[in-house]
Amino acid sequence: MNTTESHTGAGLKSTPLVGIDIGGSLAKLVLFEPTDPAQSAIMTENDKYICDYILSKTVYATNGVRDTDLCMKAVELGGHVGNLHFIRLLVTDIDDFLAEFQETRPEHPSTSVACLTGAIDKFSETLKNGLNLVLKSRTEFDCLVKGIHYTRLYNPIETSHWIRDENGELCQTQYNEVLTYPLIVTNAGTGASVNLVKSPQDYNLIGGTSLCGGSFWGLSCLLTGCETYDEAMALAEAGDNTNVDKVCGDIFGAAFVGYPITQVASNFGKMNSEDARAKAKKEDLARSVLWIVTDIIGRVSRLHADVQGARTVIFTGNFLHNNHISMKHLTTDFELFGIKVLFLEHDGYFGAIGALLECAGL
C-alpha cells in the first residue's frame, strides 16, 4: 500500500522523509534528504523543517548523534534521488530530542508522513505530536529484512567478513559475493531476534535470546560501577577475561578437541577463588560479561542455522557497532562448523531504513 502524502495541486506524491525504529535502549532515525528539484518542490513545510533541523547539527539532546560516516549518497527512493542520514539516541533522551526540535518549530506547521517500527504502542503518540507526523506502523521483522536488502543494493561496501591472514590473524575485509539462501539474520540489540530468510520476500522470526546488548550493559554496570554503554565497552576492550574465566588450558593444560587453549570452558569459573577475585580488575569483569553475551548469541544463531540448513549467518544490531571483540569471537566460533559469518556497516539502522521503505510503498 502506498502511504505517501498527496499535495493538492502538485500532481505528484512526496516521498516520505523519515523512518524510525525504537528498541529497548536506542531510537534510530533515518532521514531521506531529497536532492532532485521535483521532490524538493513538493515537500511540506514540516518536511523542510525536519530536514533543516537534522542537517543543521550532528549532536542532539544529551547523547543523540548523527553518524556522518554512514551517510549514503545518491540513493533512489520512491522515484526520487537523495541522501540517507542516520541518527541514534537513547530512548531515555527522546523527550529531550523532541523538546529541542519544538523550540524553533514554526507555530502552525504542516504534517509529514513517517513510519515507525519497534516500540510502536509506547511511542507513537509522542512522536506524532512531537514531530507533527502522520505516522504509519510496520512490523519490526518486515522492516529489518527489507532494510538489509535495500542497503546492500546501494552500498557496495556494506557487507564484510573476517578472514585469516598468512599469520593466522583475523582481518576484516569486504564481502562482495551474492547471498545464498536460506540464511539466518540475527539482530543483536538490547535483546536478540533470530530470523530465517529463504529469499528477500520469504522470511520469518524463528527464535532469539534475552541475553544481549542490554544484558552486557546492565551486568557491566552492576559489576564495575560504570554508567554508560560506551564506558562498559571501553572497559571490556581493555580487559582480559582469562583472569575471570576458566579456559581449556586451566583444565586440560592444552587445547581440547579442536578448540584453542584459550577457549572458555567456564564463564566466571575462577571467581570462586579468593585470590582470583582479588586479582581480577573491573576491565576483566566487563570483558568476561561481553564474552558470555557474545557466546550465547552465537550459539543460539548457530543451532538455528544447523536446524534450518543455513550456511550463512548475518549479524546486525547496535550491539555489534564497532564491536570487533564480538565479531572476531563469532567468526572463530562459526568457522569450526563451516558456517560463514557476515557483518553489515549500517548495523543498527536496518529497521529504520525498512520503515522508510515501507512508508514509501516499496
Side-chain angles (χ1 to χ4, degrees), residues 143 150 197 246 261 322 328:
C143 293
Y150 175 87
V197 181
K246 278 191 176 179
I261 195 170
N322 291 331
K328 289 181 179 181

Side-chain angles (χ1 to χ4, degrees), residues 330-343:
L330 290 167
T331 299
T332 299
D333 186 32
F334 277 70
E335 69 182 357
L336 293 170
F337 299 90
I339 298 176
K340 187 184 299 296
V341 176
L342 303 177
F343 304 96

Side-chain angles (χ1 to χ4, degrees), residues 35-72:
T35 56
D36 64 82
Q39 167 71 4
S40 300
I42 57 175
M43 290 170 64
T44 69
E45 289 302 313
N46 200 57
D47 287 344
K48 294 174 183 176
Y49 181 69
I50 290 175
C51 206
D52 290 344
Y53 168 74
I54 289 177
L55 297 181
S56 69
K57 54 181 69 183
T58 57
V59 178
Y60 315 87
T62 306
N63 295 296
V65 296
R66 176 154 56 95
D67 288 315
T68 56
D69 57 319
L70 295 181
C71 176
M72 293 174 60

Side-chain angles (χ1 to χ4, degrees), residues 84-277:
L84 289 182
H85 300 274
F86 302 89
I87 298 91
R88 56 186 165 89
L89 64 152
L90 293 174
V91 169
T92 51
D93 286 341
I94 288 177
D95 288 340
D96 290 341
F97 171 76
L98 295 176
E100 187 180 84
F101 172 82
Q102 291 168 346
E103 283 180 1
T104 56
R105 188 178 69 174
E107 186 176 353
H108 298 292
S110 56
T111 59
S112 298
V113 178
C115 187
L116 172 68
T117 189
I120 295 169
D121 293 335
K122 188 173 182 179
F123 288 100
S124 59
E125 288 302 316
T126 299
L127 291 168
K128 281 181 185 178
N129 298 328
L131 296 176
N132 214 41
L133 301 176
V134 176
L135 198 60
K136 312 296 180 180
S137 61
R138 294 293 184 269
T139 63
E140 175 182 348
F141 309 110
D142 288 339
C143 293
L144 171 68
V145 175
K146 184 167 286 190
I148 290 173
H149 285 99
Y150 175 87
T151 309
R152 291 189 78 248
L153 178 65
Y154 281 99
N155 183 20
I157 61 170
E158 183 65 36
T159 312
S160 67
H161 62 154
W162 292 75
I163 60 175
R164 296 193 181 275
D165 63 17
E166 57 187 13
N167 298 317
E169 297 295 324
L170 284 171
C171 302
Q172 191 172 21
T173 186
Q174 190 174 326
Y175 182 83
N176 296 318
E177 296 179 28
V178 176
L179 295 179
T180 56
Y181 301 94
L183 56 82
I184 297 294
V185 173
T186 296
N187 192 31
T190 302
S193 66
V194 180
N195 306 270
L196 173 64
V197 181
K198 296 180 180 179
S199 76
Q201 296 77 35
D202 186 2
Y203 47 84
N204 59 288
L205 173 69
I206 58 173
T209 173
S210 60
L211 198 68
C212 198
S215 310
F216 165 68
W217 187 4
L219 286 171
S220 294
C221 290
L222 188 67
L223 293 172
T224 72
C226 70
E227 293 291 338
T228 70
Y229 184 88
D230 289 342
E231 288 173 353
M233 189 60 70
L235 288 172
E237 288 172 351
D240 181 356
N241 65 293
T242 62
N243 291 328
V244 176
D245 303 331
K246 278 191 176 179
V247 299
C248 284
D250 296 319
I251 299 173
F252 304 106
F256 179 70
V257 291
Y259 287 99
I261 195 170
T262 55
Q263 174 67 33
V264 174
S266 177
N267 299 110
F268 280 78
K270 290 180 180 175
M271 293 298 93
N272 55 8
S273 162
E274 184 177 353
D275 289 342
R277 290 197 299 271

